[in-house]
Amino acid sequence: MFSNYYITLLLLVFVFFMFSFYSLFFFFFFFLMIRRPPRSTLSSSSAASDVYKRQYQRRVRGLQLIHMAHNDADIVLRSKDEREFKVKFGIALMSETIKALASYPEEVEEQEEWNPPQSAIPLPPVEGNILEKVIEYCTYHSENQEAKEDERDAWDKKFAQVDDDTLFSLILAANYLDIKPLLDLTCKTVADYIKACKTPQEIRRRFNIKNDFTPEEEEEVRKENAWCEER
């Protein structure tokens, strides 16, 4: 009886061990099947991904070609004195005002359906000679974006060396056309002129400003702003 008992026990242990081994093997195999999809699935997924990438690349390239075509399109700008200027739309895009007047959409998807305006875009506040200068500025900066900053700064400095009437007209035009770099340049030029003057009299002479204050009024203003001279 004793030996039969141990034999039975050993058989039970052996059966339990074999059952556990096969159970572990089954769960391990099942785990691998979950972790790694069939080879055919991987191939299909990779092929679908490649197709999507090619479609995306074609889409991006198509939008780039559309953008280039828009930039190369000619539009006509009409000044206050009825002068007309033909300019590339990519150059005119420096002006947010012209961009809005041309109804150029902000969304890339909508730009595909956009066509350049066939009629001239009127710019009533801007005289022809000033618009010509504005176009010169926009053309240079559109075509020389890769130029060194020192070169562009030197060109800007020379561009701004104009008479006061032209300079102030450029400020008004840049403000109306919403060309921030040109507005910054012209305002800075005026600020530099003012900074170079030591007294109010020098500023008046520099900008040909008539002094319409009486001596008494001027003295009163000086007293009210005495804190400026103390700094």
Side-chain angles (χ1 to χ4, degrees), residues 142-159:
S142 295
E143 295 178 351
N144 293 273
Q145 296 181 19
E146 303 301 325
K148 294 181 180 179
E149 186 175 356
D150 292 343
E151 294 178 8
R152 286 185 279 115
D153 289 345
W155 189 93
D156 283 349
K157 186 176 181 179
K158 184 177 180 181
F159 174 84

Side-chain angles (χ1 to χ4, degrees), residues 13 20 33 38 45 56 66 68 95 126 134 152 154 160 169 200 210 220-221:
V13 170
S20 300
M33 291 294 292
S45 176
Y56 176 77
I66 291 171
M68 290 171 60
S95 166
V126 188
V134 171
R152 286 185 279 115
S169 295
K210 182 180 178 181
E220 184 179 351
V221 171

Side-chain angles (χ1 to χ4, degrees), residues 38-164:
R39 187 179 302 274
S40 59
T41 304
L42 288 175
S43 301
S44 301
S45 176
S46 177
S49 177
D50 290 341
V51 170
Y52 174 78
K53 287 179 181 178
R54 287 195 295 270
Q55 290 176 344
Y56 176 77
Q57 290 170 351
R58 283 197 296 269
R59 177 65 171 166
V60 171
R61 180 57 179 166
L63 292 174
Q64 289 174 340
L65 292 173
I66 291 171
H67 186 67
M68 290 171 60
H70 289 169
N71 286 348
D72 288 337
D74 290 326
I75 63 170
V76 178
L77 306 177
R78 182 183 296 130
S79 64
K80 180 180 180 180
D81 49 353
E82 298 297 320
R83 292 178 60 188
E84 293 189 349
F85 299 86
K86 184 181 289 187
V87 61
K88 296 295 183 184
F89 186 66
I91 294 173
L93 273 178
M94 285 192 68
S95 166
E96 292 295 328
T97 300
I98 294 176
K99 181 179 178 180
L101 291 173
S103 302
Y104 192 67
E106 294 289 343
E107 298 295 330
V108 176
E109 300 295 334
E110 297 177 4
Q111 291 174 7
E112 295 183 66
E113 307 299 326
W114 180 84
N115 291 310
Q118 299 301 310
S119 56
I121 298 175
L123 305 172
V126 188
E127 294 285 352
N129 62 321
I130 300 302
L131 182 55
E132 191 173 11
K133 291 286 291 180
V134 171
I135 293 173
E136 178 188 351
Y137 175 88
C138 294
T139 300
Y140 173 82
H141 281 277
S142 295
E143 295 178 351
N144 293 273
Q145 296 181 19
E146 303 301 325
K148 294 181 180 179
E149 186 175 356
D150 292 343
E151 294 178 8
R152 286 185 279 115
D153 289 345
W155 189 93
D156 283 349
K157 186 176 181 179
K158 184 177 180 181
F159 174 84
Q161 291 175 354
V162 294
D163 60 83
D164 290 347

